[in-house]
């Protein structure tokens, strides 16, 4: 029997838009992944932050399977029991004033909806975003995203987006004015390198946009649902979103985006102005309800704070022995190690040693493991990291 080479098959057909690791992942359990040769990896990527309750969680698997036997497709032009249940479950963890929900299929789409709602509800066009931010790669979301490498070949983007420097109060004061529809902000910048803004600056942004009659749009697509040790990272910096965007882990890795705001804000768009075929799909909603139940029952938000603290302490200890580390930062299980050099080789070496990690820019290692990760698995990650950093240090900083 000829065994197909999976990597060759994928490479033969798919557009080359992703930088691929030379590994074929075929199954997972909790915070562990397994390749086609049954090698085990500790997953510090969490499928780019989308796997919050752990891979193949039995409760999520059961919910998806039960729903698939009952009904797979159901457009929002009719009512559906599973979709109704998901909305009421989600409302128990959301800020109560954010009482209207729009479901889509990705983080970028959650942002697209927020842009339209912010513009129509205020009757204004100007959107203020932050340098270093990432909000997605569709044209509207890309207009709010900062990095020139994503933007430059696709201009002109959507007009009337401006970017202010991170944590800079003066320019925020000069830029946010009474023609501003909204300020878009991540409570911790994810793709931008796990950068935590100051509480004072976030409070200032909130005051400025509210005084100007605009809206605060908070992108919790990466930070949301317990990742940072609180249900929403907004709680760390004491801000209250007017529009909240969610995605990634909300349905345990089944594609979803959610845009949430108060009734009077969301109702600025009328019937038909913003819809999507798959929004509110029953399988996604079944997975979403199960995800919220598991998050609460297994106290994963508390776990993210506790294990995240243990992980961060371990990383900080490494910093004291490894000159190659410049800084350790982040909250809960959204952590980063900034190094003095490009991290590409470190990622490759760690993969060979059985740990999958992410980058966030050229010289930042990023960790977004499932929130159920265990102490002994963190110990494995720290041991591999110590070894790979030592090797890199000897190569780059001899003597
Ligand atoms: C903060 C933030 N916003 C938006 C997005 C875009 O989400 P998606 O890739 O699902 O479109 C991401 C994805 O990484 C993100 O981290």
């Amino acid at each position: 029997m000829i065994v197909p080479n999976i990597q060759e098959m994928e490479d033969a057909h798919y557009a080359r838009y992703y930088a691929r690791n030379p590994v074929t992942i075929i199954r997972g359990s909790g915070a562990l992944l397994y390749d086609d040769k049954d090698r085990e990896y500790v997953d510090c990527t969490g499928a780019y932050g989308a796997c919050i309750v752990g891979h193949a969680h039995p409760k999520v698997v059961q919910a998806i399977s039960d729903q698939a036997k009952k009904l797979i497709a159901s457009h929002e032009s009719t009512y559906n029991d599973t979709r109704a249940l998901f909305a009421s479950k989600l409302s128990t963890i959301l800020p109560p004033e954010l009482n209207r929900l729009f479901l889509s299929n990705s983080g970028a789409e959650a942002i697209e909806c927020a842009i339209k709602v912010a513009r129509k509800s205020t009757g204004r066009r100007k959107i203020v975003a932050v340098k270093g931010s990432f909000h997605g790669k569709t044209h509207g979301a890309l207009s709010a995203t900062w990095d020139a490498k994503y933007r430059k070949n696709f201009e002109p983007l959507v007009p009337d987006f401006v970017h202010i420097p991170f944590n800079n109060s003066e320019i925020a004061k000069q830029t946010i004015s009474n023609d501003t529809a909204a300020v878009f902000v991540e409570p911790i910048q994810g793709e931008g390198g796990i950068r935590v803004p100051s509480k004072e600056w976030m409070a200032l942004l909130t005051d400025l946009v509210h005084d100007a009659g605009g809206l605060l749009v908070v992108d919790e697509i990466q930070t949301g649902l317990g990742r940072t040790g609180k249900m929403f990272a907004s709680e760390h910096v004491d801000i209250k979103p007017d529009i909240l965007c969610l995605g990634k882990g909300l349905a345990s890795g089944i594609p979803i985006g959610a845009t949430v705001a108060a009734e009077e804000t969301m109702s600025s768009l009328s019937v038909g102005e913003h819809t999507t075929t798959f929004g509110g799909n029953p399988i996604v909603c079944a997975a979403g309800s199960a995800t919220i139940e598991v998050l609460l029952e297994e106290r994963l938000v508390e776990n993210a704070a506790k294990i995240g603290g243990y992980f961060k302490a371990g990383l900080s200890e490494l910093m004291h022995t490894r000159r190659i580390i410049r800084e350790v930062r982040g909250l809960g299980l959204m952590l980063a190690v900034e190094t003095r050099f490009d991290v590409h080789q470190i990622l490759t070496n760690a993969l060979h040693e059985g740990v999958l990690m992410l980058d966030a820019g050229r010289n930042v290692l990023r960790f977004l493991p499932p929130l159920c990760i265990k102490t002994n698995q963190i110990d494995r990650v720290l041991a591999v990291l110590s070894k790979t950093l030592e090797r890199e240090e000897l190569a780059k900083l001899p003597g």
Side-chain angles (χ1 to χ4, degrees):
M1 189 179 83
I2 298 171
V3 182
N5 182 315
I6 295 164
Q7 294 181 17
E8 279 173 16
M9 280 170 76
E10 283 214 41
D11 288 343
H13 296 285
Y14 288 105
R16 296 191 182 89
Y17 294 169
Y18 296 87
R20 301 267 202 183
N21 286 301
V23 60
T24 303
I25 299 297
I26 57 168
R27 68 186 176 90
S29 171
L32 298 174
L33 289 170
Y34 298 86
D35 70 10
D36 52 345
K37 294 173 192 73
D38 220 28
R39 243 196 110 207
E40 186 179 276
Y41 300 82
V42 181
D43 181 18
C44 284
T45 73
Y48 265 78
C51 179
I52 52 172
V53 300
H55 293 285
H57 192 290
K59 192 154 186 174
V60 178
V61 173
Q62 189 69 51
I64 293 169
S65 148
D66 289 350
Q67 183 59 45
K69 286 181 202 144
K70 229 169 69 172
L71 184 70
I72 292 176
S74 172
H75 190 263
E76 288 218 29
S77 52
T78 59
Y79 290 92
N80 173 262
D81 54 345
T82 309
R83 191 187 304 130
L85 249 170
F86 176 51
S88 67
K89 273 229 153 82
L90 186 55
S91 72
T92 64
I93 60 167
L94 286 171
E97 62 281 10
L98 304 184
N99 55 3
R100 286 279 155 191
L101 162 69
F102 176 79
L103 291 177
S104 51
N105 315 289
S106 67
E109 275 186 75
I111 297 288
E112 295 293 336
C113 176
I115 294 168
K116 287 168 78 172
V117 170
R119 284 188 162 172
K120 188 151 185 227
S121 68
T122 59
R124 302 171 180 181
R125 295 166 56 137
K126 183 167 132 190
I127 307 271
V128 176
V130 181
K131 292 186 180 179
S133 64
F134 184 86
H135 298 289
K137 292 179 184 168
T138 55
H139 245 66
L142 186 58
S143 308
T145 289
W146 164 249
D147 201 327
K149 75 172 182 273
Y150 300 135
R151 300 165 56 98
K152 66 176 191 289
N153 292 320
F154 307 102
E155 288 170 342
L157 296 174
V158 179
D160 297 316
F161 280 72
V162 289
H163 288 85
I164 55 172
F166 183 79
N167 259 351
N168 181 311
S169 301
E170 271 327 296
I171 300 183
K173 284 180 199 160
Q174 289 159 22
T175 313
I176 300 166
S177 48
N178 57 12
D179 60 349
T180 301
V183 170
F184 277 58
V185 70
E186 291 163 86
I188 298 177
Q189 287 192 344
E191 304 292 318
I194 314 291
R195 296 200 301 156
V196 187
S198 74
K199 259 190 187 179
E200 296 69 32
W201 188 63
M202 292 295 262
L204 177 74
L205 290 188
T206 311
D207 288 347
L208 288 171
V209 74
H210 285 162
D211 290 350
L215 301 172
L216 183 73
V217 179
V218 180
D219 179 345
E220 293 243 24
I221 289 162
Q222 191 164 142
T223 52
L225 302 155
R227 163 77 44 211
T228 66
K230 299 224 185 252
M231 187 58 84
F232 298 106
S234 310
E235 298 165 42
H236 290 291
V237 281
D238 281 341
I239 50 166
K240 286 194 178 357
D242 298 307
I243 302 180
L244 175 67
C245 296
L246 300 172
K248 294 222 188 254
L250 181 55
S252 283
I254 307 271
I256 188 168
T259 311
V260 204
E263 160 80 35
E264 60 271 27
T265 308
M266 280 308 256
S267 63
S268 59
L269 265 61
S270 41
V271 171
E273 273 195 311
H274 195 71
T275 60
T276 171
T277 301
F278 296 126
N281 168 277
I283 291 196
V284 180
C285 290
S289 290
T291 303
I292 295 167
E293 280 167 22
V294 173
L295 257 185
L296 300 176
E297 282 164 14
E298 297 185 8
R299 305 180 72 80
L300 292 179
V301 184
E302 291 87 334
N303 200 55
K306 200 170 118 214
I307 299 269
Y310 178 81
F311 195 3
K312 195 174 181 185
L315 293 173
S316 304
E317 219 175 289
L318 265 184
M319 189 168 76
H320 294 126
T321 51
R322 295 275 154 255
R323 287 177 297 145
I324 196 172
I325 301 182
R326 199 180 258 158
E327 193 182 19
V328 170
R329 52 181 182 255
L331 287 170
L333 285 169
M334 183 172 186
L335 296 172
V337 168
E338 186 177 320
T339 66
R340 296 185 192 283
F341 303 101
D342 190 299
V343 292
H344 181 76
Q345 196 55 45
I346 300 172
L347 292 172
T348 308
N349 291 345
L351 176 69
H352 291 308
E353 299 285 341
V355 175
L356 271 163
M357 309 184 296
L358 292 169
D359 58 358
R362 193 187 65 83
N363 64 335
V364 177
L365 296 168
R366 178 170 38 149
F367 305 90
L368 301 173
L371 310 188
C372 61
I373 194 164
K374 299 189 168 38
T375 320
N376 64 335
Q377 294 163 341
I378 297 288
D379 290 340
R380 271 170 70 184
V381 174
L382 290 168
V384 165
L385 203 54
S386 175
K387 191 169 153 188
T388 50
L389 287 172
E390 182 180 15
R391 197 186 307 171
E392 198 64 3
E393 197 168 280
L394 285 173
K396 300 259 171 63
L397 289 172

